[in-house]
């Protein structure tokens, strides 16, 4: 107690006379800030704690309530996903926390949407971020032995994540939920070999899971949409689309960015040949077109052969994922008994390991599947007809 009192006295003396915000955000070291905040919370617990007060908080706080999905059902889905996933994907159990700022270091995620602790940690809000750090760590150990090693790192996990943004306008979404996630890290192998092979592996897992459920009458139409976020990014940079509006509408599934504009580009096509090369060139989208042809088209052909029942489209107006994915990405949606469409799987290529390992040759594909969302909206009742 004496040491704690001495430390607190020293900290309070160091910020005496300063405005509170600059003192807390700049003057104090991380360890001193933690010491101060822990003491503050200790006092507040003594003042506001007690069984009845805590019970009220439990009843009213949206983050602490249990999930609504039966755990047995949840485990069955996760076991099915893990069983479908190739064995060279190492199934790892993530820690519930990451270092403070981990999400923002890799993805443009507002820190206000992350539940931050006072011990310089944050609750996992995106399991693919945690997988990326682990994949980079494993790749780094491999590269120490051989700087040009192309050995791939494949990881997967199931995890409960928590996000602070509200989902009031998105039925079926909750502040904390379980998700299945995968990541594949490696080095550029030329001819898009890494991109094509890893993309096929990830997609095959998710579609195989949904196809099994479809055969049991639990899932209706399955749609796989390939996209490239550079399309919307380029149109935004050219001033053709309003970037602020795009940012506001990122999570709005009804938003159609080309509607009401003079953009002569369809939002969605089943074949890239539906769009003339001159149209791509007019908007400076030649690279995006080329990437889709080199990565998405051959992968789409393989998926069609493996899962002919799946509808495959090219979504040229995708907004979600700008700043998160580097370029190529995908989304898998399915229809339930009530005729509702839910996006269940999402993934794409990021530059996260490239940045973590300081090498433009590094490649990373991350993806996730809303396993709890799937349970809640598809498994309670089977499809009829």
């Amino acid at each position: 107690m004496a040491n704690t009192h001495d430390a607190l006295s020293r900290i309070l003396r160091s910020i005496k006379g300063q405005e509170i915000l600059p003192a807390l955000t700049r003057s104090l070291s991380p360890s001193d800030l933690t010491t101060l905040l822990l003491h503050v919370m200790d006092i507040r617990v003594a003042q506001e704690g007690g069984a009845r007060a805590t019970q009220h908080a439990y009843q009213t706080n949206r983050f602490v309530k249990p999930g609504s999905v039966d755990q047995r059902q949840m485990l069955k889905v996760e076991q099915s996903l893990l069983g479908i996933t190739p064995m060279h994907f190492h199934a790892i159990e993530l820690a519930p926390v990451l270092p403070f700022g981990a999400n923002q270091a890799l993805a443009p995620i507002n820190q206000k949407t992350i539940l931050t602790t006072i011990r310089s940690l944050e609750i996992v809000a995106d399991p693919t971020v945690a997988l990326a750090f682990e994949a980079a760590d494993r790749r780094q150990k491999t590269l120490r032995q051989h700087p040009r090693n192309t050995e791939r790192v494949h990881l997967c996990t199931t995890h409960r994540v928590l996000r602070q943004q509200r989902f009031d306008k998105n039925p079926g979404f909750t502040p904390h939920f379980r998700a299945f996630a995968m990541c594949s890290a490696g080095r550029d192998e030329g001819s898009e070999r890494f991109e094509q092979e890893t993309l096929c592996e990830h997609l095959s897992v998710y579609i195989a899971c949904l196809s099994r459920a479809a055969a049991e009458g639990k899932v209706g139409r399955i749609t796989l949409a390939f996209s490239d976020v550079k399309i919307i990014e380029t149109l935004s940079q050219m001033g053709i689309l309003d970037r602020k509006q795009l940012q506001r509408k990122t999570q709005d599934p009804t938003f159609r960015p080309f509607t009401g504009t003079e953009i002569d580009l369809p939002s969605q096509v089943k074949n890239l040949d539906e769009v003339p090369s001159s149209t791509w060139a007019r908007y400076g989208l030649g690279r995006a077109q080329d990437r889709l042809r080199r990565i998405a088209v051959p992968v789409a052909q393989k998926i069609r052969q493996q899962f002919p029942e799946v509808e495959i489209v090219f979504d040229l107006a995708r907004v979600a994922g700008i700043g998160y994915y580097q370029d190529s990405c995908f989304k898998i949606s399915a229809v339930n008994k009530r005729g509702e469409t839910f996006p269940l799987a999402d993934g794409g290529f990021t530059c996260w390991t490239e940045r973590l390992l300081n090498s433009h040759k590094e490649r990373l594909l991350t993806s996730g599947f809303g396993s709890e969302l799937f349970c809640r909206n598809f498994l309670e009742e089977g499809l009829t007809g």
Side-chain angles (χ1 to χ4, degrees):
M1 288 296 292
N3 289 338
T4 301
H5 183 270
D6 292 343
L8 285 169
S9 297
R10 174 184 58 77
I11 293 168
L12 293 174
R13 284 197 304 271
S14 72
I15 61 175
K16 186 176 181 180
Q18 298 184 46
E19 291 187 11
I20 187 67
L21 188 59
L24 295 178
T25 57
R26 294 196 293 268
S27 298
L28 293 180
S29 67
S31 59
D32 280 353
L33 178 61
T34 298
T35 299
L36 179 61
L37 291 178
L38 285 172
H39 184 68
V40 169
M41 297 310 293
D42 190 39
I43 294 173
R44 292 189 70 100
V45 165
Q47 293 175 340
E48 303 173 13
R52 292 183 64 83
T54 307
Q55 181 190 32
H56 177 71
Y58 180 80
Q59 292 171 342
T60 57
N61 191 310
R62 65 193 178 99
F63 296 111
V64 302
K65 304 302 289 184
S68 61
V69 173
D70 182 85
Q71 193 175 53
R72 295 181 184 87
Q73 184 68 266
M74 187 76 259
L75 290 173
K76 282 176 64 177
V77 170
E78 292 179 340
Q79 187 176 28
S80 176
L81 284 162
L82 288 168
I84 295 170
T85 304
M87 289 302 294
H88 59 262
F89 279 79
H90 296 193
I92 64 174
E93 184 73 18
L94 296 177
V97 293
L98 281 169
F100 172 66
N103 282 276
Q104 211 174 69
L106 299 184
I109 300 174
N110 192 320
Q111 194 64 33
K112 293 178 181 178
T113 67
I114 308 297
L115 185 60
T116 306
T117 78
I118 59 176
R119 292 183 180 272
S120 296
L121 297 167
E122 60 188 42
I123 305 299
V124 172
D126 184 344
T128 61
V129 170
L131 290 179
F133 275 100
E134 179 61 24
D137 193 45
R138 297 189 184 198
R139 278 287 296 158
Q140 186 174 54
K141 292 173 182 176
T142 302
L143 293 171
R144 284 175 185 154
Q145 300 173 359
H146 193 303
R148 295 186 178 182
N149 194 297
T150 60
E151 182 179 346
R152 299 175 187 176
V153 174
H154 299 284
L155 303 174
C156 65
T157 192
T158 64
H159 197 78
R160 179 162 292 276
V161 300
L162 188 150
R163 298 177 182 176
Q164 296 209 90
Q165 68 261 49
R166 287 191 172 276
F167 295 99
D168 298 340
K169 296 181 180 180
N170 300 87
F173 292 81
T174 55
H176 65 81
F177 53 91
R178 288 196 69 82
F180 175 80
M182 305 171 70
C183 90
S184 294
R187 184 180 173 86
D188 178 21
E189 300 175 22
S191 303
E192 279 68 46
R193 180 183 173 186
F194 174 88
E195 288 81 357
Q196 291 179 17
E197 292 180 357
T198 56
L199 190 53
C200 270
E201 287 184 310
H202 286 225
L203 289 172
S204 294
V205 170
Y206 302 132
I207 297 175
C209 176
L210 292 174
S211 293
R212 286 185 182 182
E216 297 170 356
K218 298 170 182 174
V219 169
R221 186 179 67 255
I222 303 168
T223 303
L224 165 60
F226 290 101
S227 302
D228 191 316
V229 294
K230 289 296 185 183
I231 295 174
I232 294 296
E233 278 192 359
T234 300
L235 294 173
S236 171
Q237 290 167 0
M238 294 173 67
I240 300 175
L241 292 176
D242 184 344
R243 191 168 189 84
K244 290 184 178 179
Q245 183 189 39
L246 293 174
Q247 291 172 339
R248 290 195 304 269
K249 299 289 188 176
T250 296
Q251 299 302 325
D252 183 354
T254 65
F255 177 54
R256 300 292 180 266
F258 299 162
T259 301
T261 73
E262 296 180 358
I263 297 174
D264 183 23
L265 193 67
S267 295
Q268 188 178 101
V269 294
K270 290 190 175 182
N271 191 314
L272 289 181
D273 292 335
E274 296 177 37
V275 183
S277 295
S278 58
T279 302
W280 293 99
R282 187 186 314 148
Y283 299 110
L285 300 174
R287 289 187 178 181
Q289 176 199 27
D290 188 48
R291 269 192 305 271
L292 286 170
R293 290 193 181 280
R294 289 184 287 110
I295 299 174
V297 170
V299 171
Q301 291 172 347
K302 293 180 180 179
I303 295 299
R304 280 194 183 99
Q305 293 173 357
Q306 190 176 0
F307 305 99
E309 73 279 10
V310 174
E311 180 182 6
I312 299 178
V313 300
F314 296 89
D315 181 0
L316 308 183
R318 171 167 173 158
V319 176
I322 294 178
Y324 186 95
Y325 295 125
Q326 192 169 20
D327 39 57
S328 300
C329 54
F330 70 85
K331 184 183 293 293
I332 302 174
S333 303
V335 177
N336 67 7
K337 177 185 176 181
R338 297 180 294 275
E340 301 166 326
T341 301
F342 285 90
L344 293 172
D346 198 276
F349 295 94
T350 74
C351 59
W352 297 348
T353 50
E354 179 181 331
R355 287 157 58 187
L356 290 170
L357 299 174
N358 194 29
S359 170
H360 70 279
K361 289 290 186 179
E362 289 298 308
R363 298 289 181 267
L364 181 71
L365 172 65
T366 66
S367 65
F369 182 90
S371 46
E372 185 166 332
L373 183 68
F374 176 62
C375 283
R376 185 181 300 111
N377 294 285
F378 289 82
L379 301 187
E380 291 182 356
E381 301 178 55
L383 289 166
T384 58

